[in-house]
Amino acid sequence: MRKVLVITAVLLCQLSFSALAQDGIVAKIAEASSSVKTLSCNFEQTKRMKLLKSPMKASGRMCYEGGDKLRWEYSSPYHYIFLLNNGKVTLSGQSGTSVIDAAGSKLFSQITRIMASSVTGECLSDKQNFELNTSFSGNSPVASLKPLKKELRQMFETIRLTFNPVTLLPEKIELLESGGDSTTIELKNVIINERLDPKEFGAE
Amino acid sequence: MNGLTPRNSVLNRVLFFVTLLLFCCTRVSGQESRHYLSINLPKQGFTGVCLAESDSLQIRGTIVNEFGIKALDFVYDKLSDQIRMPYIVKNLDKWYLRKVLKRDLKGILPRLCENSAFIYEGHKRKMTYNFVPLPPFDDETAE
């Protein structure tokens, strides 16, 4: 009986310690993300599909300015721009440009919010939309976010963010689908709080 | 005595044919195609990427948007001349759309493997499929 009590106590302690550790990491990441006013970087996207042997790779550049300004631009192997500015989304591709009111579509507004909050790590504090688990990969904190809303769950089983151990900003975003496919976005040459040209968020 | 017993000679021939067969299979299989795709309808459109791989038995492919979010997967069985869609995104998962897409894909697939630009006029709903081959990814070019 005593053994059972000791084991239970140890397990409870471990649970509370891991909960405390998780709160600590989340707080530090939240502090780092709150200091980000602007962010720009290059990215490399790799989509792996169960059905196909070769992955699909794409790369480009991303700019973010606090609030809801985001420019996500693919330059190889195709040219495509996703521009979010004050709730309006402009999509420019090889076959033209279209403007969408993100607020008009529940799914679209959720996707744009995730995109904007993932690049800084703000989404970790979004308890309404995600169940959060944290761990470490070497020195790098890793946050696994399970979508709680049905619309997002149909697209992604887990969104995993790997943070730079020094800056505590995301350096890898993995979108894991229930069918086994995955998309990995690696952020490179991250520059924060440098003035961005307002034209970056203007219509193309 | 050159050390080549009849048993060794048969083994060598078998090994030669296996090597030849493997060489032929790798030449036939592993065919890939990557196209930028735009599907145009009278009032709306979709853009994305169509990826396909072919071997002697099947053509497997997927259509994703530029962000990598999947619209559908398809598998064409060359022997039975049948197309399956193991995955289709929920808002496209309607029986009549599956029927139209399957029929159109049957017409598209022979041209997809040619890896050249083409336009395919869909059977219904005035759908037009515009395929443009993707250039190699920058890093792949560097390799």
Side-chain angles (χ1 to χ4, degrees):
Chain A
M1 184 63 185
R2 191 179 289 172
K3 268 186 188 170
V4 175
L5 282 172
V6 170
I7 290 167
T8 313
V10 168
L11 282 175
L12 282 172
C13 280
Q14 274 185 340
L15 278 174
S16 58
F17 275 134
S18 62
L20 277 174
Q22 175 161 302
D23 287 348
I25 296 163
V26 173
K28 281 180 184 171
I29 290 169
E31 197 185 323
S33 70
S34 67
S35 69
V36 176
K37 305 288 176 254
T38 68
L39 188 149
S40 63
C41 66
N42 298 326
F43 68 85
E44 194 172 298
Q45 179 178 301
T46 307
K47 170 96 185 170
R48 290 183 179 83
M49 289 150 284
K50 271 183 89 176
L51 196 65
L52 303 178
K53 287 176 192 158
S54 302
M56 171 191 150
K57 284 190 170 187
S59 63
R61 197 174 142 264
M62 187 272 285
C63 297
Y64 166 83
E65 196 172 296
D68 68 344
K69 285 182 184 169
L70 179 74
R71 182 190 178 97
W72 196 278
E73 180 176 0
Y74 292 89
S75 53
S76 177
Y78 46 82
H79 197 76
Y80 187 78
I81 302 169
F82 172 97
L83 197 66
L84 172 69
N85 193 347
N86 292 324
K88 286 256 187 281
V89 174
T90 308
L91 305 168
S92 304
Q94 285 164 230
S95 56
T97 301
S98 55
V99 182
I100 299 161
D101 183 9
S105 158
K106 201 176 166 188
L107 183 63
F108 215 84
S109 63
Q110 279 185 340
I111 291 172
T112 51
R113 200 175 56 237
I114 288 170
M115 284 177 77
S117 61
S118 297
V119 296
T120 60
E122 269 178 73
C123 54
L124 266 66
S125 47
D126 188 354
K127 287 180 182 168
Q128 265 193 329
N129 289 305
F130 300 106
E131 182 194 310
L132 171 71
N133 269 300
T134 54
S135 59
F136 278 89
S137 168
N139 288 332
S140 305
V142 178
S144 296
L145 300 151
K146 281 195 187 295
L148 297 173
K149 298 262 166 78
K150 196 179 152 194
E151 295 89 358
L152 266 186
R153 240 188 4 240
Q154 280 167 355
M155 289 165 66
F156 308 119
E157 196 176 62
T158 308
I159 298 170
R160 197 187 293 149
L161 304 177
T162 305
F163 293 85
N164 181 296
V166 179
T167 62
L168 291 177
L169 291 171
E171 55 185 12
K172 190 160 83 174
I173 302 164
E174 290 165 283
L175 307 165
L176 311 174
E177 295 166 37
S178 54
D181 292 358
S182 68
T183 306
T184 305
I185 301 164
E186 287 182 77
L187 308 179
K188 294 168 178 179
N189 311 320
V190 179
I191 299 168
I192 57 165
N193 298 337
E194 204 164 81
R195 193 185 170 275
L196 298 172
D197 189 339
K199 280 184 191 164
E200 297 273 22
F201 306 104
E204 282 296 305
Chain B
M1 188 83 179
N2 59 5
L4 197 68
T5 61
R7 200 175 161 190
N8 278 349
S9 162
V10 171
L11 196 67
N12 280 347
R13 265 188 229 173
V14 169
L15 279 172
F16 172 74
F17 281 114
V18 168
T19 314
L20 192 69
L21 194 68
L22 280 172
F23 177 74
C24 292
C25 284
T26 49
R27 296 287 288 179
V28 172
S29 66
Q31 238 187 321
E32 279 182 15
S33 76
R34 293 168 184 214
H35 287 86
Y36 191 79
L37 165 66
S38 50
I39 302 174
N40 301 306
L41 286 117
K43 285 184 181 172
Q44 52 185 317
F46 164 88
T47 61
V49 176
C50 178
L51 307 160
E53 286 177 4
S54 163
D55 60 31
S56 52
L57 299 173
Q58 288 182 329
I59 300 174
R60 295 171 303 279
T62 190
I63 296 174
V64 295
N65 74 2
E66 288 83 353
F67 294 102
I69 296 171
K70 197 156 64 174
L72 61 95
D73 281 336
F74 58 85
V75 179
Y76 172 65
D77 190 90
K78 290 179 180 177
L79 290 174
S80 64
D81 190 32
Q82 293 290 313
I83 288 186
R84 283 186 297 119
M85 284 187 186
Y87 174 84
I88 185 159
V89 71
K90 209 184 168 195
N91 55 355
L92 291 181
D93 196 6
K94 312 273 187 275
W95 68 268
Y96 51 89
L97 272 178
R98 275 183 177 264
K99 204 174 162 184
V100 169
L101 287 166
K102 275 186 185 179
R103 196 197 286 183
D104 288 348
L105 276 169
K106 264 196 179 177
I108 288 165
L109 288 177
R111 300 183 68 183
L112 203 60
C113 299
E114 291 167 13
N115 242 333
S116 53
F118 66 94
I119 294 172
Y120 183 84
E121 299 287 341
H123 282 84
K124 282 198 173 175
R125 294 168 189 269
K126 294 180 181 171
M127 275 166 86
T128 312
Y129 302 76
N130 191 357
F131 289 85
V132 179
L134 280 178
F137 176 64
D138 270 353
D139 280 8
E140 290 172 352
T141 322
E143 276 169 8

